[in-house]
Amino acid sequence: MVEHQDNDGNRTPRVSRRGVFGVGAAALAAAGVGVGLTACGDSDEVDPATEPTDPSDHIADANRQAAATLPFADTTDFADADRGWIASLEPGVVTDASGKVVWDTDSYGFLRDSCPLSVHPSLWRQSQLTVKQGLYEIAPGFYQIRGVDLSNMTLVEGNTGVVVIDPLISTETAAAGLALYRAHRGNRPVTGLIYSHAHVDHFGGALGVTTVEEVAAGRCPVLAPSGFLEHAIAENIYAGTAMARRAAYMYGAALPRGPKGQVGAGLGQTTSTGTTTLIEPTVDITRSGQEEIVDGVRIVFQLTPGTEAPSEMNFYFPDRRILCMAENATHTLHNILTLRGALVRDPHVWSRYLTESINRYGRNADLVFSSHHWPVRGTERIVEFLAVQRDLYAYLNDQTLRLLNQGHVGSEIAEMLQLPPAITKEWSTRGYYGSVSHNVKAIYQRYMGWFDGNPAHLWEHPPVESAKRHVDAMGGAKEVLKKAQKAYDAGDYRWVAQLVNYVIFADPDNTKAKHLQASAFEQLAYGAENATWRNFYLSGAHELRNGPFGTPTKANAQGMLAALTVDQAFDAISLFVNGPKAWDVRATTDWRFTDADNHTERVELRNGALIHYPRTPDDGLPAPDATLTLTRATFARTMLAGGSVPDAIVKGDIKIDGNLAALQKLNGLFDRPDPNFAIVTP
């Protein structure tokens, strides 16, 4: 049997049965939803080749049942998503300066076809919605660029130009979106830039819509919630390499597109892979109710820290009765803890801020839009949309806490918790991006940490040593694979994945184990309604069959590193110190930054730790071993982005006073992050 996970958390054993798709097919076709399940082929054996397997009978049956029971006749979202369309990018491809493709909507043309058995029909429907691409007028003077990156870019026309909200991930996609807008609305200058929150898909394309010079001259103020820069750096620089590598799995940007490959990411299609930048905010939003006028556009802000991002804000246009919900209310269950990694979010706070949004603004709004998906119109619909989202996060939080206080651990609660029918009947609450399962585990983690209280789990062996012992205890790799194949034939793919993982970590060169694991991952992907689960499973399968694909998006991009404050720059470099190598090294240096009012940072390497703090005039500190004079950009290029310090010294970009040996002590003490680290193999 196969366990098929629905969005409401129910896991129902499905008995495999052959047969053609019947119930509901005519209704779906009549509704024009484009969901008519077609087989990709049948396979009775695990295919050891590099090509992905076909959906098994177990998965095909589960997907047929989902298609027959979900409300596909409701096409309201399609009408909402199509409303206001003006034009699309033709072709739907964006390239960088070298001609490399960084975005390709056209690669998803297969989504026009009926849903194959290798994709959950609900996820297929969501991808048909998120793939819609182009310029949309959502209200007079309000426009959105959708389907040109993971997120939306919104443009609000002011007195003299246009205010841009959330300029996508890459400068190339942002520039393409702005060009599409200008082709139909005229060459209006960008007179304001708003970051709704501190995730890269909402600020990374900043230099695609404006310039540092325009911002510095005051012609384009940049507004962001309090704490934006700190959290943007913490998420995208400090743990940037690991997050980017896991994001490659989560968004599937490197995967082939198609019915057996990547079909979307639930929140959008995938991430663009262009140039990421960051312009520092010039206006901080520090309190709810704060009002700002940008190019004649009056905006009232609501701070929502700790919701979808540690630094986030909604905002309301009172003169137009239009509400922007940032990423706090979209057409999916969102993440309490994203699979790429992040700080655990607070669903209780999230739900309370949504209540505040409803009472402050929702009851006086005619349109609500977010930085993903499509708008909702009409006050009554808006209030209900926000209220159901609010109830969703409140229920997950409260019921997880109820059950953990009864002694259940996170993995148990994830199997037990069921959402109310009134919530599960809404398309907007389904788990395309977040899921009930991993959100419940995240809430448990938030309150209880990684340890479930069982002493047996307090000091387990790490993965490789644990795997060797498990395989030995089960009679060796051959016997484990025999048991795993039996589980695969029965449709118990979760158990296959667990069993074969032991073999792979005990014997990384076992080709048979890799192929069986890849096949199990593919079946789990084909049955997943959640896009990020599908992408994780398919990414693991792809790397097991074909080898690592690395990280499609560049972590620690130069455009972001250049925006670091001096304090943040040294915080970042301190994470590169190889502690054991530096145990016995002592060095004291001063770093003077000419582009930061000659700010001088004292840096001490001692006991394997890099300690830094600002110097002040007449602070009485002992003289350093050496003083280095440079710019922040030079520091980012040489110390953080893999440049050469000696080359910079020769070129005169870095000037040294004092003992050069102090720098030579540091040679070989800094590790570089590995953007290609293994995930599904040891």
Side-chain angles (χ1 to χ4, degrees), residues 128-190:
Q128 288 182 319
L129 286 160
T130 56
V131 79
K132 292 177 182 292
Q133 176 259 106
L135 173 67
Y136 295 79
E137 182 181 29
I138 61 174
F142 283 70
Y143 297 84
Q144 280 193 320
I145 300 294
R146 301 205 294 264
V148 184
D149 212 320
L150 181 72
S151 51
N152 300 336
M153 182 168 71
T154 304
L155 305 105
V156 181
E157 293 177 350
N159 290 341
T160 62
V162 62
V163 179
V164 173
I165 301 169
D166 289 351
L168 310 180
I169 293 175
S170 303
T171 58
E172 295 86 355
T173 53
L178 181 61
L180 180 61
Y181 163 81
R182 284 174 169 167
H184 295 273
R185 295 297 298 168
N187 193 27
R188 299 167 185 258
V190 173

Side-chain angles (χ1 to χ4, degrees), residues 566-595:
V566 171
D567 184 63
Q568 291 168 335
F570 281 103
D571 279 349
I573 196 65
S574 68
L575 306 179
F576 294 174
V577 175
N578 185 312
K581 288 183 180 179
W583 281 347
D584 301 321
V585 177
R586 292 218 171 189
T588 301
T589 52
D590 281 353
W591 299 67
R592 182 178 297 122
F593 292 89
T594 58
D595 59 344

Side-chain angles (χ1 to χ4, degrees), residues 322-495:
I322 292 175
L323 173 61
C324 173
M325 288 302 296
E327 204 168 319
N328 287 320
T330 58
H331 291 271
T332 180
L333 167 60
H334 214 292
N335 286 301
I336 304 304
L337 176 57
T338 175
L339 300 182
R340 64 179 167 80
L343 297 177
V344 181
R345 298 155 189 175
D346 187 341
H348 176 64
V349 165
W350 198 332
S351 68
R352 294 191 66 171
Y353 277 124
L354 284 171
T355 296
E356 184 179 284
S357 300
I358 293 167
N359 294 333
R360 277 190 178 219
Y361 311 114
R363 300 186 193 281
N364 300 299
D366 297 325
L367 181 143
V368 63
F369 70 89
S370 300
S371 291
H372 295 274
H373 300 146
W374 49 94
V376 175
R377 294 172 171 84
T379 304
E380 186 175 341
R381 284 187 65 204
I382 288 169
V383 170
E384 180 62 15
F385 169 69
L386 296 178
V388 170
Q389 288 277 308
R390 183 265 319 275
D391 297 347
L392 173 62
Y393 298 114
Y395 189 90
L396 286 172
N397 181 79
D398 297 351
Q399 295 306 305
T400 300
L401 283 167
R402 176 180 68 86
L403 292 168
L404 75 81
N405 278 314
Q406 293 177 355
H408 300 288
V409 300
S411 57
E412 293 172 328
I413 301 169
E415 303 293 309
M416 298 166 64
L417 194 145
Q418 299 182 34
L419 295 178
I423 291 179
T424 59
K425 74 179 180 65
E426 300 290 337
W427 286 114
S428 64
T429 63
R430 300 198 71 82
Y432 305 116
Y433 192 56
S435 76
V436 170
S437 178
H438 74 254
N439 278 345
V440 162
K441 294 168 187 172
I443 296 167
Y444 184 91
Q445 176 182 325
R446 178 179 180 84
Y447 286 96
M448 304 302 291
W450 64 269
F451 180 45
D452 64 6
N454 184 340
H457 302 149
L458 185 59
W459 192 32
E460 293 181 333
H461 287 287
V464 171
E465 292 304 316
S466 178
K468 290 177 179 177
R469 286 162 173 79
H470 274 87
V471 170
D472 181 64
M474 287 186 280
K478 186 175 181 180
E479 185 62 30
V480 176
L481 290 177
K482 181 179 177 182
K483 290 179 169 65
Q485 183 64 57
K486 183 178 180 181
Y488 185 96
D489 295 339
D492 192 353
Y493 305 117
R494 293 168 71 185
W495 182 231

